[in-house]
Amino acid sequence: MANVKLAIIYYSSTGTIHGMAERLQQAGEKAGAEVRLRQVAELAPEEAIASNTAWSQHFDRTKNEPKATADDIVWADAVLLGTPTRYGNVASQLKQYLDTLGAQWGQGLLANKAYAGFTASQTAHGGQESTLLALYNSIYHFGGVIVPPGYTDPLKFADGNPYGVSHVTGATNDAPVPDEVTAALDHLATRIITIAAKLKD
């Protein structure tokens, strides 16, 4: 698994998805992969960001971090995509990034890679599953290999999401990621690296 290249590409407004992405990075590196952690560009107007203190603070903290480019997904053998739910769908910032990959898609450069997703919402039924399923619609068009965690480990019965990994942030949008979700993130990183290694062989 040491030769697997893992790209973790995500959008995070207030920091939850960012924290989950960092955990995936740690797990991926521990599993022996070469990892790129990249956030996509912010599209929201300044007044919208300024209207939410947590959003504004996270934007300021991460504005100088590397931004995702098409090369990051072309480079990778495995790709983990992270987005908060937006009305049960993918956040426009991540969707816009995916929509810019037409040239790479047309050349077949997005195919035959392992893909999976992670998400968060304020409530348990706030669109986590539908967001991941909507995200995977793009992967079908890429010709990618979707690698859901399913129930491939007993710990998945604790976090309860076979489509990817998800976290409930609560009404105040700041609930810490619990142990069962952290364990699910570690499992997702290890699983996608394992499958990507088999695809490379």
Side-chain angles (χ1 to χ4, degrees):
M1 292 194 294
N3 295 324
V4 170
K5 294 177 287 189
L6 171 64
I8 303 167
I9 298 172
Y10 71 96
Y11 172 70
S12 185
S13 54
T14 60
T16 297
I17 298 295
H18 174 81
M20 294 172 74
E22 288 184 320
R23 180 69 188 203
L24 288 164
Q25 178 185 26
Q26 294 167 12
E29 290 172 347
K30 185 176 180 180
E34 182 181 353
V35 183
R36 287 187 187 179
L37 180 66
R38 300 287 189 268
Q39 65 172 337
V40 299
E42 179 60 82
L43 302 177
E46 291 182 8
E47 57 269 23
I49 298 171
S51 70
N52 182 315
T53 301
W55 193 357
S56 179
Q57 290 175 345
H58 180 69
F59 176 77
D60 288 340
R61 279 195 307 269
T62 62
K63 63 184 177 183
N64 294 323
E65 291 187 3
K67 298 299 183 287
T69 67
D71 177 67
D72 294 313
I73 204 166
V74 171
W75 165 86
D77 304 306
V79 183
L80 290 170
L81 298 166
T83 175
T85 64
R86 288 295 181 264
Y87 308 115
N89 212 323
V90 179
S92 60
Q93 290 87 344
L94 181 63
K95 186 61 167 62
Q96 193 269 349
Y97 168 78
L98 296 174
D99 288 348
T100 67
L101 301 174
Q104 292 74 28
W105 166 78
Q107 297 172 63
L109 299 176
L110 310 179
N112 306 322
K113 302 173 186 290
Y115 293 85
F118 58 104
T119 189
S121 64
Q122 287 187 322
T123 60
H125 300 286
Q128 295 179 346
E129 290 86 354
S130 62
T131 295
L132 292 171
L133 292 171
L135 174 63
Y136 295 156
N137 284 337
S138 296
I139 309 310
Y140 301 139
H141 285 261
F142 293 173
V145 179
I146 297 174
V147 182
Y151 294 100
T152 54
D153 188 286
L155 62 82
K156 290 303 295 179
F157 288 95
D159 92 298
N161 189 337
Y163 304 102
V165 177
S166 56
H167 170 52
V168 178
T169 63
T172 55
N173 210 31
D174 60 359
V177 176
D179 290 346
E180 62 267 22
V181 174
T182 299
L185 289 166
D186 292 350
H187 174 257
L188 182 65
T190 303
R191 176 168 163 75
I192 199 167
I193 291 166
T194 301
I195 299 302
K198 292 180 179 180
L199 289 173
K200 287 187 71 173
D201 289 343

